[in-house]
Amino acid sequence: MKIAITELQGLIEQALIGHGMVPANAPLVAATIVAAERDGSRSHGLQRLPGYLSSLKSGWVDGKAEPVIEEAAPSLLKVDARNGFAQVALARASLRLRAMVERQGTASLATRDSHHFAALWPDVEPFAADGYIVLSMIHSRARIVTWGGTKRVLGTNPMAFGCPRKGKPPVVWDQASSTMSQGDVLLASSAKRQLLPGIGVDAEGRATTDPDAVLQGGALLPFANAKGGSIAFMIEILSAALTGARFGFEDTSAGIKGALTSNAGQFMLLIDPKRIGGDGFVDRVELLVQHLLAAGTERMPGDHRYARRALAERDGVEISDGDYSSLKQGQR
Ligand code: NDP
């Protein structure tokens, strides 16, 4: 069945509120789940709702947290999310961040003690749509083995980038540092689908195509081997060492039943390109995009999502009968 985006948003908000989130914060977190379903990013859509709900119910994440925001330097905001969701911290810091980039030409946001359980592109797209270059990264619990190591230390650590286009939605890419996101491994496990070789290892460090072996004590591999490992390392430095968040391997959730989100950090960098290239920046972006398209590139990152979004806005979002009836009861 299909339901309207607004109905899905309302149902998810109610489920979050029913599990301890304050009404002021619920729309912010619900919006990232809805955006993922709407745009076809299924690994971070409704599939993640049980994780949000159980993490809230367990007390592992605080749905009532009010972030504390400080100006650490003229173009650097420091945020303590107080064990709440990262989307709330970003929303509360957003006005000051925008004022900062307008004033200084660049602004950074360093957030700690936050939980990010979603795709990253919803965080960056609004800034890129407003004309800024934006780079954002977060770390997660230890989930990958790198550089020949045998134990998980770094997270699947995603990074997203956005830049404006002239008269078109921005180019936005968003990718994990692992060959596959944990969310996609969970989808493969539910569908009883084997993984491609080269994605993960089992608890003994042996290559495996079994998603359950990866999830139960195994690990994911970084994309492009050592190079993906280096990106994951950089993200852990900027999102954790810099912000003051716990590293993924310092996770303390083991004794808390239902604690599925990662208590971690987030780093975001904004640049106002008009400060260097004036209005010519978007023309330069367009020249590059047009050369890529002329060279056979089928689409720019983000275009698939925009196309799916247009369909969902017209026809509604596909949802299973089971998910719909669970949502109606405030669950999933
Ligand atoms: P994907 O491999 O699905 O996609 C990576 C990027 O490549 C996307 O921007 C995608 O654009 C683009 N892309 C893919 N194919 C093409 C193509 N043929 N042409 C042009 N662009 C293309 O992402 P991942 O599996 O690595 O990550 C999935 C999600 O998981 C991300 O949203 C990430 O933020 C999230 N994640 C969240 C974590 C958390 O702790 N919160 C941890 C790790 C990951 P498009 O969208 O248009 O297809």
Side-chain angles (χ1 to χ4, degrees), residues 44 116 118-120 138 156 158 173-176 181 299 301-302 304-305:
H44 289 77
H116 201 300
L120 227 54
I138 59 173
T156 48
W173 58 251
D174 174 16
Q175 61 191 36
S181 72
R299 65 180 179 91
H304 257 187
R305 288 190 299 94

Side-chain angles (χ1 to χ4, degrees), residues 38-61:
R38 181 199 64 199
D39 282 20
S41 304
R42 290 200 51 233
S43 58
H44 289 77
L46 270 180
Q47 172 183 238
R48 293 254 144 171
L49 187 57
Y52 285 97
L53 301 184
S54 72
S55 298
L56 280 164
K57 197 170 161 195
S58 70
W60 167 242
V61 57

Side-chain angles (χ1 to χ4, degrees), residues 26-146:
L28 301 167
V29 174
T32 62
I33 302 172
V34 172
E37 284 295 321
R38 181 199 64 199
D39 282 20
S41 304
R42 290 200 51 233
S43 58
H44 289 77
L46 270 180
Q47 172 183 238
R48 293 254 144 171
L49 187 57
Y52 285 97
L53 301 184
S54 72
S55 298
L56 280 164
K57 197 170 161 195
S58 70
W60 167 242
V61 57
D62 183 359
K64 302 181 173 64
E66 200 43 54
V68 177
I69 305 167
E70 278 174 66
E71 193 166 306
S75 58
L76 176 61
L77 279 185
K78 185 173 127 182
V79 181
D80 180 348
R82 307 295 293 262
N83 197 31
F85 283 107
Q87 288 79 13
V88 177
L90 177 59
R92 299 286 195 277
S94 207
L95 274 182
R96 284 176 74 174
L97 198 61
R98 283 171 181 273
M100 205 169 236
V101 68
E102 279 304 308
R103 195 171 61 237
Q104 304 288 133
T106 176
S108 299
L109 180 72
T111 305
R112 71 186 158 97
D113 203 9
S114 66
H115 295 248
H116 201 300
F117 205 44
L120 227 54
W121 61 260
D123 297 352
V124 306
E125 193 186 303
F127 292 106
D130 285 346
Y132 301 113
I133 297 171
V134 51
L135 189 62
S136 183
M137 54 196 82
I138 59 173
H139 72 291
S140 71
R141 289 181 193 178
R143 296 201 200 285
I144 66 172
V145 286
T146 41

Side-chain angles (χ1 to χ4, degrees), residues 293-330:
L293 296 174
T297 292
E298 287 169 1
R299 65 180 179 91
M300 296 303 290
D303 285 354
H304 257 187
R305 288 190 299 94
Y306 298 139
R308 290 194 198 103
R309 184 180 306 177
L311 289 178
E313 282 167 351
R314 193 190 66 191
D315 303 334
V317 182
E318 187 78 44
I319 184 169
S320 70
D321 292 349
D323 282 350
Y324 186 61
S325 93
S326 302
L327 273 176
K328 283 277 201 191
Q329 293 157 41

